[in-house]
Amino acid sequence: MNTAFPLTRDLVLIGGGHAHALVLKMWAMKPLAGARLTVINPAPSAPYSGMLPGFVAGHYTSDELYIDLIRIARAAGARIILGKAAHIDRAKKQVIVPDRAPIGYDVCSIDIGITSGMPELEGFTEHAVPAKPLDDFARIWEGFCQETGPAQVAVLGAGVAGAEVAMAAAHRLQHLGRAADVTLIDRSKALSRLGTQARSKVLKSLNELNVTLLEHANVLRVEADQVVVADRDPIPAKMTLGAAGTRAYEWLSNIGLAMEQGYIKVLPSLQSETDSDIFAVGDCAHLTHAPRPKAGVFAVREAPILFHNLRAALSGGAMQNYHPQSDYLKLVSLGGKIALAEKLGVAISGGAMWRWKDQIDRKFMDQFDALKPMGALELPEEFASGVEAHAGPICAGCGSKVGRGALARSALHQTGAQRDDVVTLKGDDAALLQMGDVKQVLSTDHLRAFTDDPVLMTRIAAVHALGDIWSMGAKPQSAMVSLILPRMSTALQERTLDEIMHTASDVMGEAGAQIIGGHTSMGAEFTIGFSVTGLASDTPITLGGAQVGDVLVLTKPIGTGVLLAAEMQIKARGADVAAAYASMARGVAIDALSLSTAQAMTDVTGFGLAGHLANICRASGVGAELNVRDVPLLNGALAMSETGVQSSLYPDNLSDALTMMNAPQTARGRLMLDPQTAGGLLAALSQADAKVAIATMKERGIDAIQIGKIVDGPVALNLIE
């Protein structure tokens, strides 16, 4: 997020449709000072509809099909919220997303597409897959293609979309060597919106691919393995796809806007007829001045007008009007690498048309790959010695920590005079306060934000801080919040604080702790931290109890540091980043409970897995062997490490580690020094206790794993690669 100017207005984009994706790209090139941009979408990526038939046919991979919203949001300086909007409270100007605080807006735009679900058809919801939303359909189809044996597919709806899907499915299954039986079913005449020439060519392609066409068929119900049709034998179907009956999402009808058969009625400016602060584009909108069929071409053409008008609405500028073309080029995939082009009643088909369509689609997608990464600071002509070595971008999360070496040599390392009620555990995860029989642990953590979603960042920061309490076998008791917000107006401060405090209270409450206060201020960027206390009923688990022969157990995969660094540089896949977010947001209370018999334990954070294991070795006076290939990695982490991406804290972690181990020689080995944010727990247990703990966590859905062992000899760490 660009915080060079105070933030005063909130623009919220609901949905990652084609128009919104293009608006994000244009915003990256020309942001509006003072505007905070937010995009809400259920997934980190959005499929491009133009490539869907090619994806179904096997011509495109899933990576080629999807627009990576996390990467575009980073380039645009936008915060991305991974969730599904369920309502808009226009009176309070809030977007409601389940399981999080409401999201305030000044201007809102909706681009969520449509659905082809048919809940009124008996059995459809339980046994069929709607072609829209495309994201779910693409995922389920890919899984179906991994199966073996005969493939029976029924496609409901013989419009252009249904015919494309049926032909693509037949082509893909046949090329996989599976006996394919594809049936295309419609209640009326098939392909009725195509001209005579085009319809004839598509019908010919269906026949060549052995797709059975049933017209004027009355479907009675969908069952698990067949489609029941009136006056006909049941149609065998291991997969039933719905491509008919496209409709708007029901929640749109409950926000009090003027609607046309469930679609939002918009003016030429793309603003709602009812509310000038709400815009709608793409298939979910109805152009009252120029109604058009639902087609992606209109969403793409709307994007420049939407971009201009959203900026105008935020800054008081003049609106522009969108005038859709009366006719448009229709490009229809015909299964294989052939396509049909139709305009003004003239239709041409063949391989040249496929290459033309492929070129258009790839050009559209390529524009989202040419995104500008965050670069190093431009140095002036003269600068002090040493500046060049530290001028690169600073990572966020635990990647922005001060290195262990500097901490060990600083005044922070000095504990001062020992008091009777304070037990100093030098270098441990938390301080121990003893008041009579009461043992209280105390720790503090503060993170530089790596996402501008305050809810996600707050949840991760809270889990990160609680890790110190859980790792010592204590029960969380209380927490105080420490918060720095970027410069923003009073209204935006209130909105942001509501999101943060709702989340902080929820996370701490779930852990058994209570928020008892805190401190807020404004500064250059968003940072958040917590000071937490916990109560230990028995002797706390420390770093210093590991015994020779103990095995090492890890409860979360690693790789957050390299993935967050790659995300800042717009190199990581959005899906991998989203998975890393989910891992960081998962608490480790159950892990800690399962590891209550640990001899020594720590949470894996800024010093990396090897660095925190080294702390156990130092405190316990033992050595350790770490089996690098047994350590679970987050998706995408190894690929990023192999390309040379590293967190800005990595050099400090390496420098400290070299006092106890040899430098890692591989990309996987380097990840052992990758700084983690809200990482899992690392515990040393007896072999018997480790076996029980791993089994217990597996029953609870936690994939804990044994990654090494404690050994006799010098205090050293051996990476076995």
Side-chain angles (χ1 to χ4, degrees):
M1 181 187 297
N2 185 351
T3 57
F5 297 92
L7 301 171
T8 60
R9 303 273 280 168
D10 266 322
L11 169 60
V12 175
L13 308 180
I14 302 177
H18 302 351
H20 278 179
L22 289 169
V23 165
L24 285 168
K25 176 179 176 290
M26 289 183 274
W27 196 279
M29 295 185 289
K30 189 180 179 182
L32 180 65
R36 177 168 63 177
L37 177 58
T38 300
V39 58
I40 303 170
N41 197 68
S45 57
Y48 170 47
S49 60
M51 281 181 158
L52 182 69
F55 168 77
V56 173
H59 308 319
Y60 302 119
T61 65
S62 57
D63 284 344
E64 291 173 310
L65 174 68
Y66 285 94
I67 300 170
D68 196 321
L69 297 176
I70 286 184
R71 296 180 73 244
I72 308 173
R74 167 62 70 176
R79 61 173 179 164
I80 183 165
I81 293 173
L82 300 179
K84 185 179 292 186
H87 183 62
I88 298 175
D89 186 332
R90 291 172 46 229
K92 295 181 179 178
K93 297 182 80 72
Q94 292 178 336
V95 180
I96 309 302
V97 177
D99 301 322
R100 61 172 292 144
I103 301 151
Y105 70 88
D106 294 294
V107 176
C108 178
S109 180
I110 307 171
D111 184 14
I112 59 173
I114 52 180
T115 176
S116 57
M118 291 180 276
E120 75 282 357
L121 177 60
E122 182 182 347
F124 185 92
T125 302
E126 295 81 6
H127 304 301
V129 181
K132 292 188 177 183
L134 302 181
D135 196 29
D136 292 339
F137 167 67
R139 174 178 49 81
I140 294 171
W141 170 253
E142 194 66 13
F144 182 75
C145 288
Q146 304 304 315
E147 299 176 7
T148 58
Q152 298 163 326
V153 178
V155 180
L156 307 182
V160 172
E164 283 188 302
V165 168
M167 290 183 288
H171 174 85
R172 175 78 173 275
L173 294 170
Q174 290 167 12
H175 276 257
L176 288 173
R178 297 174 65 181
D181 184 2
V182 180
T183 305
L184 180 60
I185 308 170
D186 200 280
R187 67 182 65 182
S188 58
K189 181 182 177 181
L191 302 161
S192 57
R193 291 190 177 183
L194 288 179
T196 302
Q197 284 187 18
R199 183 174 186 273
S200 176
K201 290 178 180 292
V202 175
L203 290 174
K204 180 181 178 182
S205 293
L206 286 166
N207 183 62
E208 290 173 347
L209 287 164
N210 296 318
V211 175
T212 301
L213 175 62
L214 295 182
E215 298 178 288
H216 308 288
N218 180 22
V219 176
L220 299 178
R221 64 182 179 276
V222 178
E223 297 179 354
D225 58 356
Q226 64 182 8
V227 176
V228 179
V229 182
D231 303 323
R232 298 176 185 266
D233 292 334
I235 309 299
K238 291 185 177 180
M239 173 175 276
T240 300
L241 305 175
T246 53
R247 66 192 69 202
Y249 288 97
E250 290 185 8
W251 70 268
L252 293 178
S253 298
N254 299 322
I255 57 180
L257 300 177
M259 310 294 286
E260 177 69 28
Q261 296 182 344
Y263 303 103
I264 300 171
K265 296 172 72 172
V266 297
L267 302 169
S269 62
L270 305 176
Q271 292 167 291
S272 162
E273 287 187 350
T274 309
D275 189 334
S276 61
D277 289 331
I278 294 182
F279 292 72
V281 289
D283 290 349
C284 69
H286 175 75
L287 301 169
T288 54
H289 66 294
R292 291 292 185 273
K294 303 302 179 186
V297 63
F298 298 114
V300 172
R301 299 287 179 87
E302 287 169 336
I305 303 299
L306 178 65
F307 175 69
H308 172 88
N309 288 351
L310 290 174
R311 294 171 63 90
L314 292 164
S315 61
M319 295 287 167
Q320 294 180 355
N321 290 336
Y322 169 65
H323 299 290
Q325 64 269 43
S326 57
D327 193 18
Y328 63 97
L329 176 68
K330 302 178 186 67
L331 289 168
V332 182
S333 295
L334 300 178
K337 290 189 176 181
I338 56 174
L340 175 143
E342 185 204 39
K343 189 171 184 179
L344 300 174
V346 178
I348 303 173
S349 63
M353 295 301 100
W354 162 262
R355 291 189 291 274
W356 186 26
K357 182 181 187 306
D358 177 62
Q359 183 180 36
I360 292 172
D361 290 336
R362 289 188 183 276
K363 183 179 179 180
F364 178 81
M365 294 296 283
D366 285 347
Q367 66 185 312
F368 300 114
D369 290 330
L371 300 171
K372 184 179 179 181
M374 177 178 142
L377 296 174
E378 291 188 13
L379 294 175
E381 291 184 6
E382 292 183 290
F383 51 86
S385 299
V387 167
E388 189 171 12
H390 299 277
I394 302 173
C395 287
C398 255
S400 61
K401 286 184 65 170
V402 173
R404 185 183 180 280
L407 287 174
R409 293 185 293 271
S410 73
L412 285 173
H413 191 64
Q414 308 304 317
T415 60
Q418 182 72 48
R419 290 176 43 164
D420 293 339
D421 57 349
V422 179
V423 180
T424 302
L425 302 174
K426 194 172 182 179
D428 224 301
D429 291 312
L432 174 62
L433 308 179
Q434 187 159 342
M435 296 155 283
D437 294 334
V438 178
K439 297 183 179 70
Q440 185 183 55
V441 293
L442 170 67
S443 184
T444 188
D445 262 302
H446 201 97
L447 297 178
R448 178 173 182 250
F450 46 78
T451 170
D452 290 318
D453 176 4
V455 168
L456 178 61
M457 195 64 226
T458 301
R459 177 170 288 278
I460 290 172
V463 167
H464 183 81
L466 286 166
D468 287 339
I469 306 300
W470 284 321
S471 68
M472 296 188 73
K475 295 181 180 179
Q477 177 193 27
S478 67
M480 299 187 75
V481 187
S482 175
L483 176 66
I484 300 176
L485 295 178
R487 288 188 299 165
M488 57 180 62
S489 66
T490 301
L492 267 67
Q493 289 177 39
E494 292 176 0
R495 290 172 183 171
T496 307
L497 285 171
D498 279 346
E499 293 187 64
I500 289 171
M501 294 313 299
H502 272 95
T503 307
S505 296
D506 286 347
V507 177
M508 291 298 173
E510 290 168 3
Q514 181 179 347
I515 301 283
I516 59 173
H519 179 78
T520 61
S521 62
M522 284 195 290
E525 59 184 356
F526 176 29
T527 69
I528 183 169
F530 293 87
S531 295
V532 288
T533 67
L535 296 176
S537 56
D538 298 314
T539 303
I541 303 172
T542 68
L543 298 174
Q547 303 292 316
V548 174
D550 285 349
V551 297
L552 298 167
V553 174
L554 181 67
T555 67
K556 278 189 185 182
I558 68 170
T560 62
V562 71
L563 284 170
L564 293 178
E567 192 274 332
M568 289 178 65
Q569 300 170 44
I570 316 183
K571 293 181 178 179
R573 293 175 64 248
D576 294 337
V577 175
Y581 287 161
S583 178
M584 288 184 277
R586 182 180 75 79
V588 293
I590 294 176
D591 311 29
L593 183 63
S594 303
L595 297 169
S596 60
T597 57
Q599 309 272 28
M601 186 155 61
T602 185
D603 59 335
V604 181
T605 53
F607 303 143
L609 176 60
H612 286 281
L613 177 54
N615 286 344
I616 289 178
C617 292
R618 291 187 184 102
S620 301
V622 296
E625 291 181 353
L626 179 61
N627 299 313
V628 172
R629 292 205 167 268
D630 290 338
V631 176
L633 304 178
L634 288 164
N635 289 339
L638 182 58
M640 291 297 97
S641 183
E642 287 173 340
T643 63
V645 175
Q646 291 177 348
S647 168
S648 55
L649 185 59
Y650 178 86
D652 285 320
N653 283 353
L654 176 61
S655 177
D656 179 64
L658 291 177
T659 63
M660 293 189 63
M661 58 179 254
N662 293 324
Q665 301 300 311
T666 66
R668 186 182 291 270
R670 290 191 291 273
L671 286 172
M672 302 304 106
L673 295 168
D674 185 51
Q676 304 303 291
T677 302
L681 298 179
L682 173 66
L685 304 96
S686 69
Q687 292 190 15
D689 287 343
K691 185 176 181 180
V692 172
I694 291 172
T696 300
M697 284 186 277
K698 185 174 182 180
E699 291 175 359
R700 295 168 174 170
I702 299 164
D703 293 325
I705 190 169
Q706 181 177 325
I707 61 169
K709 61 184 179 180
I710 299 295
V711 297
D712 198 2
V715 178
L717 180 59
N718 181 26
L719 296 188
I720 301 174
E721 299 191 52

